[in-house]
Amino acid sequence: MIEFRKEFFADERDDDLNEIGKPTRRQDILGHVTGRSPFFDDHQFDGLLHLRCVRSPHHHARIRRVDTSQAENMPGVVRVLTGKDVPTNLNTLLSLLDFGIDDEPILSDKKVAYRGEPVAAVIAATEAQARAAVKAVRVDWEVLPHVLDVEEAIKPGAPKVLDIYPNNKFIYHGKYDHQKLRFGDVEAAFASADHIVEGRYQMSPIEQAPIETCGAIAAPEQNDRYVCYTSTQALFFSLGTAAKVLQTPSSKLHFVGGTVGGGFGGKVDSIHEPLAILGAMLTGRPVKYAWDREEEMQVGAPRGAERWYIKDAVNRDGRITARKFIGYFDSGAYTRLSSYAIIKGVGHLPGPYTIPNVYADVYCVYTNRTPATAMRGFGITGVDFAIETHMDKVAETVGMNPIELRILNSYRDGDMKAHRREAKNCALVECCQVVAEKAGITLSADAKAATSLTGGGGERARIPNYTATDQNGRVEGFDTGSYARKSGSGSGPASATAQPSTAQPARAPQPGSQPASRPASASRPEQAPPRADPPAKPPESRPAASRSGAMRFSSLSGFRRR
Amino acid sequence: MMAKKPVNFTLNGNDRAAFAEDGQNLLEFLRRGVGDMSPKYGCGQGTCGACTVLVDGETHLSCLVLAETVDGKDVRTASGLSSPALDPLQTAFMEHFAAQCGYCTPGMLVSARALLDRNPRPSREEVIEAISGNLCRCTGYEPIIQAILAVAEGRARA
């Protein structure tokens, strides 16, 4: 049973929070217990067609030729789609936030970078017919060497996963091949430390495994619009992505979602809606594209694997004076949300502890594994496991109770965090005290008397006089596309100029495609062919009310008002 | 042409007749052929329990049952539990927050109903055993166990 110890938050809350610890009725519970909640697959359509993908059996391979002729003549097959049928056959999810370069085809037509990557899609009258026809699509592969480990992937000569990213690393802010955090001088602290404690931590990818597999059903609405029922957790991501990929105004797409049979982050990638809608557009009939359980496990994007190296400088009394992180986040074959997960994770370092010297280099690394995506606290959960395991290791080294060590090093109100924000509303000391109480561990008088409200600020509120900076990992001449352009300089499509000249053809437009695909990083709506109006951009200036909020800094978009 | 087989059966107490596609499983037959959407597809391999139904009073995973084999039989699903009033189990699931996303709930309710029909006073261990074939990924099993025990112990409102 959850208990709420209001005394710890007496200065922050005056309500009674009397719902905590008591079950409450969900507003949608009656539908759930009567089996009437409308999940995407519960919508009936006469003449529903089934779409299934032809997938790569290889981790990394060039596509020499895709022969769909036999499949097209199979019983029940209505249409076979390949990359040239997709109006904009290249996307990155966060392009909707203007972050990152389009890197992932909807249906790959030149190269595959992970096992299970879709290269064609069969649309047939029954699921069994679609399965049979998928087997009849012939793909001529040129198998390439692959890399499945983050540290192997960044070694010189490693197989190149994506042509646009040199050395298999995402480029941050157009400047560095990793996300940096620098606060104080860790090397000086290491030189004068009583103990150096080092650790290496590895997390595996984790599949979200919702009981409802991901999918969507799209159908012509007979009013020049298409309805799309989807399992998505991110309806507006899916709407925006479908509009972009299909070069269709979002006003022509009627999305219905919100009833999700478990998601946990695994249903944000907008994989199914564009192909289901494209199928409905090209056949004029309702089309369902849903993963079976095997696909959910094999190609469903998991929580990314992470590898962390942590090095601490520790005083004899247990005080941590420096912490250095080297992190490798396994993005898999494409970016999806991993670049963002790292920004979030680096903002979280060095964990909820006041450490005067902090250093982090965190790499978003491409490998030939299934692309990673969101899952419950992604970007934070993995490194927290590393940090807390490391805290226990530090406690062991100095011979302290691990709870006491945490209380000693916890943030107090008023402390300066490594990313230069003041710590507020801290409660870790109190949490540790309750944990000790529940576990029957007797704390020292000092640890018992500690509170988050006192002992912070002052000297601990200072930004270090000297912070050691460096140019490690500096990349010159890399054009990240429009997101890094702050003042409108350069209006043409961006290109990744840091790459060798051989890189460009990999994602070049298909000459015969109708309408033409666009090059890798030309993701601005202004570049779209005139076939269909792109969705209207929201006005740049907002009404006066929104200007009154506090300034807020976002690593993705810079300073903005709330 | 694929052969279609006529299937006459009772669904939640009502006489029904429909054609089963050749090789069609009971899950697809109930959902697409008959229109009862309460059994859910989760794996198609008999591992998740989301498609659990009762055939002649016994729990079956409808994804593993050939549709034509229910000819002449009595099939019950979660959508039949509330005819006409809510089953005490449904009320207990509502009161105990025993459903979050709701996708495993119909199968879970069918397994729980089958348990209480053959054993109205199960122990906690018997409840756990009865729903051990029904996977849940978000609610967590404890509220579900509590809801079923509340009905078994007569604590739930009918």
Side-chain angles (χ1 to χ4, degrees):
Chain A
M1 191 50 70
I2 300 162
E3 60 180 296
F4 180 60
R5 300 207 174 180
K6 198 183 162 193
E7 65 270 25
F8 295 136
F9 304 96
D11 59 330
E12 291 163 33
R13 308 199 65 128
D14 54 7
D15 49 2
D16 288 331
L17 297 180
N18 52 14
E19 291 295 320
I20 289 185
K22 280 192 233 165
T24 192
R25 268 197 187 190
R26 295 176 59 90
Q27 50 87 17
D28 54 1
I29 190 78
L30 189 59
H32 288 358
V33 301
T34 52
R36 292 197 174 89
S37 293
F39 296 95
F40 88 92
D41 194 31
D42 295 339
H43 296 276
Q44 290 270 46
F45 289 92
D46 195 26
L48 181 70
L49 300 176
H50 297 262
L51 184 151
R52 289 193 60 82
C53 284
V54 180
R55 299 185 180 282
S56 166
H58 304 294
H59 295 298
H60 197 194
R62 217 177 295 285
I63 302 164
R64 286 204 193 105
R65 189 161 165 270
V66 179
D67 179 1
T68 61
S69 54
Q70 194 189 334
E72 280 162 14
N73 292 317
M74 299 273 287
V77 172
V78 178
R79 176 107 193 200
V80 181
L81 307 177
T82 59
K84 62 180 181 295
D85 296 305
V86 185
T88 296
N89 192 23
L90 205 61
N91 185 46
T92 191
L93 203 53
L94 292 178
S95 65
L96 299 176
L97 304 177
D98 203 10
F99 183 62
I101 302 174
D102 288 346
D103 60 5
E104 185 170 2
I106 314 305
L107 291 173
S108 303
D109 50 9
K110 293 178 183 61
K111 202 182 104 161
V112 290
Y114 70 96
R115 188 171 156 182
E117 187 166 338
V119 297
V122 170
I123 303 173
T126 70
E127 197 191 314
Q129 289 168 334
R131 281 179 190 275
V134 160
K135 286 187 186 153
V137 173
R138 297 277 164 259
V139 184
D140 184 8
W141 303 102
E142 178 192 340
V143 179
L144 301 171
H146 63 263
V147 60
L148 303 174
D149 179 88
V150 282
E151 288 182 86
E152 293 298 322
I154 59 172
K155 282 182 181 164
K160 197 169 194 179
V161 179
L162 288 175
D163 289 322
I164 52 173
Y165 288 114
N167 307 116
N168 293 328
K169 296 170 189 166
F170 182 82
I171 304 302
Y172 278 92
H173 319 294
K175 289 180 183 164
Y176 291 101
D177 66 7
H178 59 279
Q179 178 78 349
K180 281 180 191 290
L181 173 66
R182 298 288 186 271
F183 186 73
D185 185 352
V186 290
E187 296 305 328
F190 289 142
S192 61
D194 294 329
H195 302 280
I196 301 287
V197 183
E198 294 184 84
R200 174 189 187 272
Y201 305 94
Q202 170 76 42
M203 274 68 62
S204 297
I206 301 172
E207 162 60 31
Q208 299 85 354
I211 304 293
E212 177 206 48
T213 59
C214 299
I217 297 176
E221 260 191 339
Q222 317 305 346
N223 57 358
D224 201 25
R225 301 208 312 169
Y226 293 86
V227 66
C228 181
Y229 294 94
T230 163
S231 68
T232 185
Q233 285 179 265
L235 195 83
F236 288 89
F237 255 144
S238 293
L239 176 60
T241 299
K244 174 186 168 185
V245 164
L246 303 173
Q247 293 177 11
T248 298
S250 55
S251 59
K252 291 200 182 298
L253 303 175
H254 174 193
F255 268 63
V256 183
T259 306
V260 181
F264 323 112
K267 289 177 177 166
V268 302
D269 282 1
S270 309
I271 297 292
H272 296 82
E273 301 88 344
L275 278 182
I277 298 167
L278 182 64
M281 286 174 163
L282 296 178
T283 64
R285 289 174 61 178
V287 172
K288 170 176 156 180
Y289 173 29
W291 281 337
D292 62 18
R293 178 55 55 188
E294 191 181 339
E295 287 172 306
E296 184 76 42
M297 303 305 282
Q298 170 77 48
V299 300
R303 179 197 291 288
E306 297 175 39
R307 183 170 303 154
W308 289 93
Y309 292 90
I310 304 182
K311 181 178 178 183
D312 280 4
V314 189
N315 284 348
R316 217 164 277 117
D317 66 358
R319 233 171 250 285
I320 300 167
T321 58
R323 176 166 283 176
K324 180 177 182 176
F325 294 89
I326 306 290
Y328 302 97
F329 196 99
D330 191 344
S331 183
Y334 297 103
T335 308
R336 304 238 182 136
L337 297 174
S338 297
S339 53
Y340 158 74
I342 288 167
I343 287 181
K344 192 158 73 132
V346 171
H348 178 71
L349 303 181
Y353 305 106
T354 298
I355 300 175
N357 303 286
V358 182
Y359 174 112
D361 287 346
V362 188
Y363 298 83
C364 176
V365 182
Y366 299 98
T367 65
N368 294 111
R369 296 175 86 171
T370 312
T373 191
M375 184 176 178
R376 308 194 78 165
F378 72 122
I380 304 296
T381 320
V383 72
D384 259 345
F385 159 74
I387 289 170
E388 294 309 324
T389 311
H390 200 70
M391 290 300 283
D392 290 347
K393 199 168 177 178
V394 171
E396 212 169 273
T397 306
V398 297
M400 250 177 110
N401 177 292
I403 300 178
E404 295 235 0
L405 179 92
R406 283 173 172 82
I407 291 175
L408 179 70
N409 288 286
S410 287
Y411 280 153
R412 262 62 162 188
D413 285 353
D415 285 358
M416 183 53 61
K417 300 196 245 183
H419 54 287
R420 296 165 178 77
R421 293 265 207 115
E422 188 189 317
K424 291 174 185 167
N425 307 329
C426 301
L428 181 58
V429 172
E430 289 73 14
C431 286
C432 287
Q433 288 163 340
V434 174
V435 167
E437 176 193 314
K438 301 259 179 202
I441 290 166
T442 309
L443 294 175
S444 68
D446 279 354
K448 250 187 219 160
T451 107
S452 293
L453 301 172
T454 58
E459 198 55 23
R460 295 161 63 110
R462 278 187 33 229
I463 291 173
N465 290 331
Y466 169 71
T467 286
T469 58
D470 56 75
Q471 297 287 309
N472 298 341
R474 176 84 198 194
V475 175
E476 296 298 339
F478 188 86
D479 191 335
T480 55
S482 65
Y483 88 92
R485 253 190 276 280
K486 295 301 180 203
S487 55
S489 65
S491 54
S495 60
T497 52
Q499 62 193 335
S501 55
T502 54
Q504 193 57 28
R507 301 287 185 235
Q510 270 294 104
S513 64
Q514 180 56 259
S517 306
R518 286 173 286 151
S521 48
S523 60
R524 297 172 73 104
E526 292 82 14
Q527 308 298 326
R531 190 187 87 142
D533 292 335
K537 289 178 95 176
E540 291 293 312
S541 56
R542 298 273 177 106
S546 66
R547 296 185 172 220
S548 57
M551 283 297 277
R552 184 173 171 273
F553 178 74
S554 154
S555 302
L556 296 184
S557 48
F559 284 99
R560 275 187 188 170
R561 287 197 188 278
R562 270 187 211 280
Chain B
M1 260 328 258
M2 285 187 288
K4 293 189 180 188
K5 294 217 169 87
V7 182
N8 289 282
F9 67 113
T10 60
L11 178 61
N12 298 317
N14 300 313
D15 287 338
R16 300 299 294 261
F19 287 100
E21 307 280 347
D22 194 26
Q24 190 172 35
N25 66 35
L26 181 59
L27 174 63
E28 278 299 301
F29 176 72
L30 289 173
R31 289 176 59 81
R32 301 285 163 208
V34 183
D36 183 346
M37 294 297 181
S38 66
K40 303 295 180 194
Y41 169 90
C43 67
Q45 306 165 342
T47 53
C48 77
C51 68
T52 306
V53 300
L54 298 182
V55 179
D56 286 349
E58 280 191 349
T59 52
H60 283 269
L61 298 166
S62 59
C63 73
L64 298 185
V65 175
L66 265 178
E68 62 199 66
T69 64
V70 303
D71 188 55
K73 296 193 174 171
D74 174 51
V75 178
R76 286 177 186 273
T77 66
S79 63
L81 287 175
S82 48
S83 53
L86 288 179
D87 188 286
L89 275 169
Q90 290 173 307
T91 314
F93 269 51
M94 291 168 68
E95 299 295 336
H96 287 79
F97 208 100
Q100 194 169 314
C101 85
Y103 202 78
C104 72
T105 310
M108 202 67 87
L109 282 164
V110 169
S111 291
R113 185 71 264 161
L115 168 70
L116 296 187
D117 284 351
R118 65 173 188 271
N119 177 6
R121 293 279 178 274
S123 66
R124 181 183 165 86
E125 286 63 37
E126 286 166 331
V127 169
I128 291 170
E129 173 65 27
I131 61 167
S132 63
N134 295 80
L135 299 184
C136 165
R137 283 287 284 169
C138 31
T139 314
Y141 296 101
E142 191 57 32
I144 297 170
I145 295 166
Q146 290 304 325
I148 298 169
L149 282 174
V151 177
E153 292 160 10
R155 287 186 278 115
R157 279 179 282 159

